[in-house]
Amino acid sequence: MPKIYRLLTEDDTSDFCHKVSLALSKGWELHGDPSMAFDAARGVMRCAQAVTKEIEAEYHPEMKLGQQ
């Protein structure tokens, strides 16, 4: 079964946690540790979390990963 990958990013707010939680509720699985970095241009911390999911369909570059 093919596996797809997404990198979720957001400012360090509850919105990031909600974005990751929504992905988990749709069957995505955490892949590795989250990371944080300071965006000096905007003056905010940014968060990132990789997620993966096994899918029934064949992968193709045009697919909307967030809709899987």
Side-chain angles (χ1 to χ4, degrees), residues 5-47:
Y5 170 93
R6 292 174 63 198
L7 181 64
L8 305 175
T9 61
E10 186 65 58
D11 290 349
D12 183 19
T13 66
S14 62
D15 288 342
F16 175 71
C17 295
H18 288 292
K19 185 182 277 191
V20 174
S21 295
L22 178 60
L24 294 174
S25 75
K26 292 184 175 185
W28 291 85
E29 296 181 7
L30 299 177
H31 181 79
D33 294 328
S35 62
M36 294 180 73
F38 184 69
D39 180 346
R42 295 181 48 231
V44 297
M45 290 297 292
R46 297 278 295 166
C47 299

